[in-house]
Amino acid sequence: MRISLLPLFILALPLLEIAGFVIVGRQVGALATVGLVMASSVAGALLLRHQGFGVMARVRAEMDAGRDPSGQLAHGAMIVLAAILLIIPGFISDIFGLLLFLPPVRDLAWRMLKGRIVLATDFSSGLRARQRGKTIDLDEGDYSRADDHTRGPGSPWRRLKDE
């Protein structure tokens, strides 16, 4: 039986954060400690906005090229997690959040997690760059449906048109 340390860590984190507040508050003062916590929250929100748009552009580029965007999606999820950790008050969560904003740390985390994630689709065969210039322009008389049941006399579309 394997015991997970995650519940223990979740229970210990608030106590560690309080200890961090006490230590930092003793060194720099209470007002400066509150200022640091507020500054890290603002920084987390700003970094999420700036980094998030970049990741979404890279995901779009990967998909347009027909490649697997899972690595970029994982980077995006880790950036969101990093921003949440920065927004949460506390210095220990801020350290982990700042580390997750670093691309080499995210690459290392993705290499460690990639084997545990199952893809539901194969991006290599289903995605192709959009083909442009293949529009077929038809006039009203060029196309008709003889068996169109949606436009019959009892159709709600006809009733709306007649009213």
Side-chain angles (χ1 to χ4, degrees), residues 33 45 49 54 58 64 67 70 80 83 102 109 113 115 124 126 132 134 141 147 155 161:
T33 303
R49 183 174 182 202
R58 289 190 297 272
D64 285 345
R67 292 188 296 261
S70 61
V80 169
L102 300 174
L113 294 173
S124 62
R132 307 229 189 265
K134 300 278 185 178
D147 60 308
S155 169
K161 187 177 177 184

Side-chain angles (χ1 to χ4, degrees), residues 3 5 10 28 43 54 61 86 90 92 101 109 130 140 145 155-157:
I3 298 173
L5 296 176
I10 290 174
V28 298
L86 278 173
I92 296 172
F101 269 114
R130 291 187 196 112
E140 191 173 320
R145 269 192 208 172
S155 169
W157 298 107

Side-chain angles (χ1 to χ4, degrees), residues 49-63:
R49 183 174 182 202
H50 177 71
Q51 294 270 326
F53 285 130
V55 168
M56 293 311 294
R58 289 190 297 272
V59 166
R60 169 67 81 180
E62 291 290 316
M63 290 180 71

Side-chain angles (χ1 to χ4, degrees), residues 4-156:
S4 177
L5 296 176
L6 185 62
L8 179 65
F9 179 72
I10 290 174
L11 291 173
L13 185 61
L15 298 174
L16 293 172
E17 294 288 10
I18 291 170
F21 284 133
V22 170
I23 292 170
V24 172
R26 191 176 299 154
Q27 296 295 320
V28 298
L31 192 58
T33 303
V34 172
L36 284 171
V37 170
M38 293 176 77
S40 71
S41 295
V42 170
L46 292 175
L47 282 171
L48 175 64
R49 183 174 182 202
H50 177 71
Q51 294 270 326
F53 285 130
V55 168
M56 293 311 294
R58 289 190 297 272
V59 166
R60 169 67 81 180
E62 291 290 316
M63 290 180 71
D64 285 345
R67 292 188 296 261
D68 179 12
S70 61
Q72 295 301 326
L73 288 171
H75 278 263
M78 286 185 264
I79 286 173
V80 169
L81 177 63
I84 289 170
L85 287 173
L86 278 173
I87 291 170
I88 292 173
F91 295 110
I92 296 172
S93 61
D94 289 350
I95 291 169
F96 286 121
L98 287 173
L99 286 175
L100 273 178
F101 269 114
L102 300 174
V105 174
R106 289 194 313 258
D107 287 334
L108 176 67
W110 174 238
R111 278 191 298 248
M112 290 172 46
L113 294 173
K114 190 185 336 184
R116 295 181 174 187
I117 296 174
V118 178
L119 290 176
T121 183
D122 182 18
F123 287 103
S124 62
S125 64
L127 298 175
R128 291 181 188 80
R130 291 187 196 112
Q131 295 179 355
R132 307 229 189 265
K134 300 278 185 178
T135 304
I136 300 173
D137 189 18
L138 298 175
D139 291 332
E140 191 173 320
D142 290 342
Y143 179 77
S144 67
R145 269 192 208 172
D147 60 308
D148 189 0
H149 301 292
T150 61
R151 305 264 182 194
S155 169

